[in-house]
Amino acid sequence: MPKIIVDGKEVECRDRIPVLQAVLEAGWDVPHYCYHPGLSIVASCRLCLMEMKMPNPKTKALEWAPRLMPSCQTPIKDGMEVRFDSDKVRDNQKHCMEYFLLNHPLDCPVCDQAGECYLQDYSLKFGESTSRMVEAKNKNPKKDVGSKTLLYQDRCVMCSRCVRFCNEVAGTGELAIVNRGSRAEIDVFPGVPLENRLQGNVVDICPVGSLLDKDFLMDQRVWFLRGGDSICPLCATGCAVRVDQNNGTVYRVKPRYNPGVNDWWMCDDGRFGWKYAHDEKRLNRLMVRRGMEVDSPDWSALPGIVRVRLDSLARSTDGGKIAVLLSPFMACEEAWMLASFVRSIAPQSTLAMGPVPYEGEDDTFPKGSSNGSAVKFRVLAEKCPNRRGIEMILASLGGHRATFDEFVKKAGEGAFAGAWIVGGYPKPWVTKELESALGKIETLFAQDLFPSALTDAATIVMPSCSWAERAGTFINAQDKVQPFEAAIAPIEGCQSDGQYLHAIWGGQGLYQAAKVREAMAKAMPAFASVHVPPAMPEHAH
């Protein structure tokens, strides 16, 4: 690996990266607006300029060059020496910050970006405490540039990240810089609003409060939010995301850096599709039907009730008339605990997986790209997070297995005296064929998010939790085993699926996904190591 000298210290860095990226990864806090590792380099903000030693044309000796160089545009070279800790560099940073603040409104108290704005932070760290501006600031109007995005033009520092994103990643090119010099501004082409499926990313990469998410606008101050690492559950890509919540309410979902899966981006389907987690129609109590009576016992009684009912069914049918329908929205640990528990009571039971939802065709970005290296982001038509994980568990446990259609057909023929059916889909999923077959099942255990024909027919109804309230692993379309943590506690009246399945399975104490994975790894080595994306450098953005 090449080594460079930064402010007198030797730094080992990755090959073929810019000096700015190398020093950010080494822990330096170098200000920058226009540079983003996922976009082309324009070196327009001039904040990251550095001093660099170059050969003197006359003596050939290495000397500090008379002019500053953009560190974002200078590739590293083994042995090169640069410095950021110098009067010349600091003067440049102060002058740049003064320029950026000439016309920028000081509306931090009402700006949605306050608390995570790099204009605020850099002004404090690298700028001046006073302004020499005596003229009135230019005022530019707000612009409604898309169905989900607002543009506050007067806060813009013209870094052009949003323009490059639309050109290079989305490939839709809705945004452009119009006019020049002090009149330059971001705008959409007439009649072509910002409407691509990745538009939320332009808000993420805006370093100031210029581009804002309408969905999050004025909802929360960011310093009240707490983030939880998770995996998007709404398609098989498995984007790494951060769930921002306050007091148990999710306010926004943002992408986490995950090279090779979603890099720095996520689609709007996942960004805005989590609202079902707070749907008022969600099931929120455990229900047990005894004839016409409906009881709501304590959760601690559930393992005993389930075991008694399944033991009775297994004795009366030799276990061959019991079935479990797992859901592709379950975490691997949840599915494995449930299937293992039922198989421990009824080894002849049938295991199956519920329907896998698809919507349209796979969508690739940039637009116009096809399979191959040119594709930078892919929104998959397969709208569930864990089909591959459930298939792996079914294959591992062996025995009687069935497809969803076979399960429904057998159930309709009265082949199952008892069945445990898991839903957890964010949209209605019970088919008419399944609804018709439910009446032929004598004892029905239903585990789902919302009321449906399934829960109406069930003997025991266990409310499921949304993915934000659960922990476990999903296996994505690339066969990466990706863990996720619960971002919020279950709603009142509910337990997380992992917790009550852990108790039913026979586990002691609180459910811990990592402990269950250790047990799973004995039969399925893929769970011995999980894919955890690297952390972004502290000062990168």
Side-chain angles (χ1 to χ4, degrees), residues 153-345:
Q153 183 58 52
D154 48 4
R155 296 174 184 164
C156 181
V157 293
M158 297 305 295
C159 69
S160 79
R161 282 181 172 193
C162 53
V163 176
R164 283 176 283 150
F165 177 84
C166 289
N167 291 338
E168 299 165 11
V169 181
T172 47
E174 297 101 329
L175 295 178
I177 298 175
V178 297
N179 300 323
R180 292 191 173 190
S182 62
R183 296 178 182 173
E185 56 185 272
I186 304 294
D187 211 338
V188 291
F189 290 103
V192 187
L194 180 64
E195 289 299 347
N196 67 71
R197 292 177 79 177
L198 304 183
Q199 70 168 280
N201 293 286
V202 300
V203 176
D204 296 336
I205 59 177
C206 180
V208 295
S210 185
L211 283 160
L212 295 175
D213 178 356
K214 289 180 185 177
D215 198 56
F216 180 68
L217 197 66
M218 309 300 178
D219 260 6
Q220 279 283 298
R221 304 312 309 215
V222 296
W223 47 84
F224 292 136
L225 298 177
R226 299 289 179 270
D229 290 349
S230 189
I231 301 295
C232 179
L234 295 178
C235 92
T237 299
C239 293
V241 297
R242 190 188 78 226
V243 181
D244 283 341
Q245 60 86 22
N246 182 20
N247 286 329
T249 300
V250 177
Y251 285 94
R252 64 181 184 181
V253 173
K254 283 183 165 282
R256 283 187 295 133
Y257 177 55
N258 194 2
V261 178
N262 57 294
D263 291 332
W264 300 268
W265 326 118
M266 71 179 296
C267 72
D268 289 352
D269 300 21
R271 186 186 298 272
F272 303 113
W274 52 268
K275 306 292 178 59
Y276 71 93
H278 295 308
D279 194 315
E280 293 181 352
K281 297 187 188 72
R282 274 183 53 183
L283 296 166
N284 58 6
R285 69 185 179 111
L286 176 65
M287 289 187 287
V288 177
R289 290 192 173 92
R290 297 182 177 89
M292 297 298 291
E293 294 182 2
V294 179
D295 190 15
S296 185
D298 189 81
W299 280 98
S300 60
L302 180 64
I305 296 171
V306 167
R307 183 169 285 277
V308 167
R309 301 252 179 164
L310 280 177
D311 275 338
S312 173
L313 279 171
R315 282 197 301 274
S316 62
T317 66
D318 291 333
K321 299 192 73 173
I322 295 177
V324 179
L325 187 70
L326 302 173
S327 166
F329 284 85
M330 297 177 83
C332 294
E333 293 82 352
E334 297 162 356
W336 185 76
M337 288 190 294
L338 173 58
S340 300
F341 164 68
V342 175
R343 276 288 171 81
S344 70
I345 292 178

Side-chain angles (χ1 to χ4, degrees), residues 14-184:
R14 292 186 290 132
D15 202 7
R16 290 185 288 185
I17 60 174
V19 172
L20 175 59
Q21 184 67 36
V23 297
L24 289 173
E25 291 179 6
W28 265 260
D29 186 5
V30 176
H32 58 283
Y33 286 137
C34 65
Y35 174 77
H36 188 285
L39 303 173
S40 61
I41 296 171
V42 291
S44 63
C45 75
R46 320 307 284 177
L47 260 178
C48 71
L49 300 191
M50 64 181 178
E51 285 195 277
M52 184 171 73
K53 275 190 175 179
M54 298 182 71
N56 185 313
K58 295 179 180 176
T59 64
K60 305 302 179 187
L62 286 177
E63 296 176 1
W64 292 109
R67 295 179 184 276
L68 298 175
M69 307 284 179
S71 62
C72 64
Q73 206 173 36
T74 306
I76 59 165
K77 187 176 179 182
D78 193 35
M80 73 189 303
E81 184 171 357
V82 303
R83 65 184 179 194
F84 295 91
D85 187 13
S86 74
D87 291 341
K88 192 181 282 189
V89 171
R90 282 191 288 270
D91 282 347
N92 171 71
Q93 292 166 347
K94 288 179 180 177
H95 294 150
C96 284
M97 288 309 304
E98 186 175 25
Y99 171 74
F100 286 128
L101 286 165
L102 281 183
N103 288 305
H104 195 287
L106 299 176
D107 60 351
C108 305
V110 296
C111 177
D112 249 26
Q113 191 90 351
E116 52 187 15
C117 172
Y118 286 91
L119 200 64
Q120 280 184 335
D121 294 349
Y122 289 168
S123 177
L124 177 67
K125 289 183 180 177
F126 307 103
E128 294 277 17
S129 59
T130 58
S131 170
R132 291 176 289 169
M133 180 76 167
V134 292
E135 304 293 335
K137 291 178 183 285
N138 288 338
K139 293 183 179 176
N140 291 304
K142 303 178 184 66
K143 299 175 186 174
D144 191 351
V145 294
S147 59
K148 300 179 176 68
T149 311
L150 281 177
L151 172 62
Y152 284 59
Q153 183 58 52
D154 48 4
R155 296 174 184 164
C156 181
V157 293
M158 297 305 295
C159 69
S160 79
R161 282 181 172 193
C162 53
V163 176
R164 283 176 283 150
F165 177 84
C166 289
N167 291 338
E168 299 165 11
V169 181
T172 47
E174 297 101 329
L175 295 178
I177 298 175
V178 297
N179 300 323
R180 292 191 173 190
S182 62
R183 296 178 182 173

Side-chain angles (χ1 to χ4, degrees), residues 234-496:
L234 295 178
C235 92
T237 299
C239 293
V241 297
R242 190 188 78 226
V243 181
D244 283 341
Q245 60 86 22
N246 182 20
N247 286 329
T249 300
V250 177
Y251 285 94
R252 64 181 184 181
V253 173
K254 283 183 165 282
R256 283 187 295 133
Y257 177 55
N258 194 2
V261 178
N262 57 294
D263 291 332
W264 300 268
W265 326 118
M266 71 179 296
C267 72
D268 289 352
D269 300 21
R271 186 186 298 272
F272 303 113
W274 52 268
K275 306 292 178 59
Y276 71 93
H278 295 308
D279 194 315
E280 293 181 352
K281 297 187 188 72
R282 274 183 53 183
L283 296 166
N284 58 6
R285 69 185 179 111
L286 176 65
M287 289 187 287
V288 177
R289 290 192 173 92
R290 297 182 177 89
M292 297 298 291
E293 294 182 2
V294 179
D295 190 15
S296 185
D298 189 81
W299 280 98
S300 60
L302 180 64
I305 296 171
V306 167
R307 183 169 285 277
V308 167
R309 301 252 179 164
L310 280 177
D311 275 338
S312 173
L313 279 171
R315 282 197 301 274
S316 62
T317 66
D318 291 333
K321 299 192 73 173
I322 295 177
V324 179
L325 187 70
L326 302 173
S327 166
F329 284 85
M330 297 177 83
C332 294
E333 293 82 352
E334 297 162 356
W336 185 76
M337 288 190 294
L338 173 58
S340 300
F341 164 68
V342 175
R343 276 288 171 81
S344 70
I345 292 178
Q348 300 302 315
S349 57
T350 299
L351 303 180
M353 179 172 67
V356 177
Y358 288 89
E359 291 180 7
E361 303 289 333
D362 290 357
D363 202 1
T364 56
F365 297 90
K367 281 299 179 183
S369 61
S370 58
N371 290 335
S373 58
V375 175
K376 294 185 176 178
F377 194 85
R378 197 184 298 271
V379 183
L380 298 183
E382 185 180 313
K383 295 299 179 188
C384 61
N386 202 26
R387 171 174 68 83
R388 289 152 190 83
I390 302 302
E391 287 175 345
M392 183 185 291
I393 289 162
L394 291 176
S396 169
L397 292 173
H400 295 296
R401 282 182 282 163
T403 64
F404 176 64
D405 290 340
E406 290 168 347
F407 171 86
V408 173
K409 184 180 178 186
K410 287 184 177 179
E413 293 169 348
F416 302 127
W420 189 309
I421 298 179
V422 186
Y425 297 73
K427 295 180 180 178
W429 69 281
V430 179
T431 62
K432 289 183 179 177
E433 292 79 12
L434 176 59
E435 186 176 339
S436 302
L438 294 176
K440 300 291 181 69
I441 302 173
E442 178 187 336
T443 303
L444 183 59
F445 303 81
Q447 182 183 332
D448 210 345
L449 276 169
F450 299 105
S452 65
L454 170 65
T455 55
D456 290 344
T459 314
I460 298 178
V461 178
M462 291 155 283
S464 253
C465 285
S466 70
W467 107 105
E469 299 153 300
R470 295 157 37 210
T473 53
F474 292 144
I475 299 182
N476 77 347
Q478 298 170 303
D479 292 325
K480 293 184 187 295
V481 182
Q482 303 194 100
F484 62 96
E485 297 296 328
I488 55 176
I491 60 172
E492 187 175 355
C494 289
Q495 272 193 358
S496 75

